[in-house]
Structure formats: C-alpha cells, structure tokens
Amino acid sequence: MIGAVTSGRIADLIGRKGAMRMAACFCIAGWFAVYFSKGALSLDVGRFSTGYGIGVFSFVVPIFIAEIAPKNLRGGLTTLNQLLIVTGSSTAFLIGSVISWRALALTGLIPCVLLLIGLFLVPESPRWLAKVGHYNEFHIALRKLRGENADITKEAAEIQEYIETLESLPKAKILELFQQKYIRSVIIGVGLMVFQQFGGINGIGFYASETFASVGPSAGKIGTIAYACIQVPITVIGAMLIDKSGRRPLMMVSAAGTFLGCFMAGTSFYLKAHDLLLGWVPVLAIGGVLFYIASFSIGMGAIPWVIMSEIFPINVKGVAGSLVVLVCWLGAWIVSFTFNFLINWSSSGTFYVYSAFSLLTILFVAKFVPETKGKTLEEIEASINS
C-alpha cells in the first residue's frame, strides 16, 4: 500500500523507467534479506521491501505499457503483463513444492535482474518525455517504438497538443480528483478495483490448497496442481480477446463466470455441512474454484488494470493511479486477512458472499464503465467527460 501511494509521484518525478529500476532494487534487497534471514525481523524487512517494490510495479508497469502501445494493441499488451504475473505465480506454486523457501526466495531475483538489464534496451515513455519537456528524446523514443519507416508526425502532434493543453492546468492534488471533471474516472477506477478484490481472489488464491484439502485428502494436491496450470492458458485467451471483443463484454462474462464458480464452491460446502450428496462435494469444490480462477483470469484479473491505465488524463494520472492501486492493495489485504474468519463462520456463506460481489460487478460495469477498445487515450478522456 505504501508503494502504491508513492508510485505515481515517483513515476512522474524520475520517469517510468526510473521508477521500475528503483522498484527492482527494492525487490532484490528484499529477496536477499529473506534468503539470509536468521529470524523474524529480517524476514519482515525482506517482505516489506519486496512489498514496496511490487506496489510501485503494479502502478508503473500498466501505465508504461499503455503510454508506449499503439491503440489497437494497447489492451492485449497490457494483458500480457497480467499473463506474466500469473505465469510467475503458477511457476512459484510448482517450484515451491519441490525446493526450500530459501531457494525459492533466490528465484525471485531472476526477473528483477532481467528487468534491470532489459530497461537499457527499451525507450522511455514518449508521453512522459513530452510532459517534462524533453522533446528531442520524445521523438527519438516514439520513432524507436513505431519503427524507422513509420510516419509518426500525426501521433507526435496529437501527443504534444494534448500535453500542452494539460500543462496549462494546475498540478493535481488528491482532493482535486473529486472534482466533477475527474470524479467519473475515479469512480470507474476505484470501483473496478473494489469489485476485483472483494470478489475474493486473494482469499481464494492464497488458501486454495487448504480449501481443496478441506473437502477431501486427494483433492488437495490435484486441485493445487490444476490451479497452477489453468491460469496461464486462460489468461492467454483473455489477451487474445481483449482487443477483439472489447473490455466491457469480456469483464461481464468474466464476472458471470466468477459468480458461477463461487456459487458451485459454496454449494459444495453447504452439501458437506448437511451430509447431502457427499460424492459431489469434491467435484463441486474443485470444479467451482477452478472455474472461478479461469473466469477471473480471462477478464477481471487484467482488464481493471488496463482500464485504470487508460481513463485518467496525464496531469492526474500519477495521483489518481496511486489512489486506485492503494484501493486495490487495501482490498487485497482485507480479503486475505478476513478469509479464515469468514471460513470459520461459514464456508458456504463465504463463497456466496463473493458470488454476490460478482453479480454487483456485472451491474457496475454495465452502468459506469465505458468501452475503451480502439480509442486513443485522448479520445477515451473526451468520451468519459462527455
């Protein structure tokens, strides 16, 4: 959450690449602290450091991708970020079952080091360069991104005109986000993160193994391996669909799927508690959780981040993005912290509560969220304000 609060200002101050370098260094320091830990304090310091780095990454990476991508590829490229996140998660699930936690901590260094090296090979965000007045570097970066033979004249002129208009506006403060011209974007960004998290993803994900094991001894290992394997191919499908089907339809289908998955899992625990159809309990539990994860991965996992990176004007993108990411991680903490308490209260009730949030997600998307497929960032802002 601290990383989320500070990420926007850092990205505006030292650039998108600078913020990513800083976050990678925090993660590297954190993983070394975990690996060499002799007690709880160094473990806590390591987790705090990696948590801060991830908080910064979770804002800066989608913003950077949205700012460098052509409009027809922006959704798919931003979804690739989510694809690699779930690939890393699934890989950690599988590797962690065969190596020690200290060795697992060392594997966390690999993507950090690759990122530090890779950032030397990619240009800075052209929009950020134009915003800070580095116009020569702005044209070089845009040319490098679009290709030597591409005509960047029109795009460069649109970006510069947009930046000049926004530069005439005063520097945004957090309270200014609640003005009429920004409030709709804030409601969309914050609302999507609330519904993404309170649909239960972190509670269900963090305690997947325990959930599977609670319905039967054989279900634990089978369910966990299936959980790790299902995320990646489904997220690939989502990445392929997002710029074809559009953001809104895919999110609504995804939320309908998470509702059905939670309802199935909740029903399995209801049947178990009342000694009904016990043969169906493991099938419904494993099937429900896996259907939930598949549905979440195809839409609700990535699209809120895509839309968050698209809907805010660049003059408030830093502070607004920080607020949205803060809400995301606050929701993640609340859901993961309360999951065990809710399960002890009622296993079936817990999943039914999450399924209710999935239904509310469909209504929220239908009422408030605009379609951003195929539009420039400037066109999206105009459509929201209108």
Side-chain angles (χ1 to χ4, degrees):
M1 287 189 282
I2 296 172
V5 169
T6 58
S7 58
R9 293 297 185 191
I10 291 170
D12 285 345
L13 184 66
I14 62 176
R16 299 358 181 183
K17 286 175 63 176
M20 285 188 279
R21 286 192 179 102
M22 187 199 75
C25 291
F26 268 95
C27 289
I28 289 171
W31 287 125
F32 274 125
V34 170
Y35 179 75
F36 290 109
S37 62
K38 301 295 183 183
L41 178 61
S42 54
L43 279 174
D44 288 339
V45 169
R47 293 296 293 131
F48 183 90
S49 183
T50 55
Y52 180 80
I54 293 301
V56 174
F57 274 133
S58 61
F59 168 75
V60 175
V61 172
I63 293 296
F64 178 73
I65 295 171
E67 290 182 348
I68 67 171
K71 64 181 181 181
N72 61 312
L73 298 176
R74 189 174 59 242
L77 288 174
T78 308
T79 308
L80 282 179
N81 175 45
Q82 182 69 16
L83 170 61
L84 293 176
I85 288 172
V86 299
T87 302
S89 172
S90 297
T91 302
F93 258 84
L94 297 173
I95 294 177
S97 64
V98 295
I99 64 175
S100 71
W101 61 267
R102 288 188 191 274
L104 187 63
L106 282 183
T107 66
L109 297 172
I110 298 171
C112 300
V113 173
L114 289 175
L115 178 69
L116 286 176
I117 296 171
L119 283 173
F120 287 104
L121 307 176
V122 297
E124 178 59 271
S125 162
R127 283 179 168 83
W128 181 80
L129 290 169
K131 181 173 179 288
V132 297
H134 297 166
Y135 294 111
N136 188 44
E137 291 92 335
F138 158 64
H139 283 95
I140 293 172
L142 192 60
R143 172 71 65 192
K144 189 172 182 181
L145 286 165
R146 300 294 180 258
E148 289 299 321
N149 298 322
D151 183 6
I152 62 169
T153 308
K154 181 180 178 182
E155 185 178 7
E158 288 176 350
I159 292 173
Q160 285 183 298
E161 181 182 356
Y162 181 63
I163 296 294
E164 288 168 6
T165 302
L166 292 176
E167 285 300 300
S168 64
L169 301 173
K171 194 76 172 177
K173 302 281 195 304
I174 187 76
L175 292 178
E176 294 174 16
L177 293 176
F178 301 96
Q179 296 176 3
Q180 185 176 355
K181 58 185 174 181
Y182 302 131
I183 189 63
R184 183 173 169 84
S185 295
V186 171
I187 290 172
I188 294 168
V190 169
L192 285 176
M193 288 304 175
V194 167
F195 286 112
Q196 181 198 60
Q197 293 302 321
F198 282 87
I201 182 58
N202 280 294
I204 294 171
F206 290 157
Y207 295 98
S209 298
E210 290 87 340
T211 301
F212 292 136
S214 67
V215 296
S218 62
K221 195 159 190 177
I222 295 171
T224 302
I225 293 172
Y227 179 102
C229 294
I230 200 171
Q231 286 182 298
V232 176
I234 296 297
T235 306
V236 170
I237 295 172
M240 294 166 61
L241 289 176
I242 190 170
D243 282 319
K244 294 181 179 179
S245 66
R247 281 56 154 163
R248 276 167 49 93
L250 199 55
M251 267 198 297
M252 294 170 77
V253 169
S254 175
T258 59
F259 161 76
L260 182 58
C262 280
F263 191 83
M264 289 168 61
T267 301
S268 76
F269 284 106
Y270 179 85
L271 294 174
K272 182 182 178 185
H274 292 82
D275 291 323
L276 299 170
L277 302 173
L278 294 181
W280 283 93
V281 168
V283 175
L284 285 173
I286 295 177
V289 171
L290 293 182
F291 195 78
Y292 172 91
I293 292 300
S295 300
F296 183 87
S297 298
I298 205 170
M300 284 304 297
I303 297 177
W305 293 101
V306 175
I307 292 178
M308 182 274 287
S309 68
E310 294 175 328
I311 59 175
F312 294 114
I314 198 166
N315 65 311
V316 299
K317 190 166 280 188
V319 65
S322 293
L323 173 64
V324 171
V325 179
L326 171 64
V327 169
C328 173
W329 291 119
L330 177 61
W333 173 73
I334 292 172
V335 170
S336 57
F337 183 77
T338 58
F339 184 81
N340 274 333
F341 297 106
L342 289 171
I343 285 291
N344 289 332
W345 159 67
S346 170
S347 297
S348 59
T350 301
F351 284 94
Y352 289 147
V353 167
Y354 293 154
S355 67
F357 273 101
S358 294
L359 284 180
L360 291 174
T361 302
I362 299 173
L363 297 176
F364 179 82
V365 172
K367 176 69 176 175
F368 291 103
V369 181
E371 182 55 70
T372 60
K373 181 189 77 168
K375 297 179 180 178
T376 65
L377 301 183
E378 294 74 22
E379 290 169 344
I380 291 168
E381 185 198 350
S383 69
I384 290 175
N385 288 336
S386 65

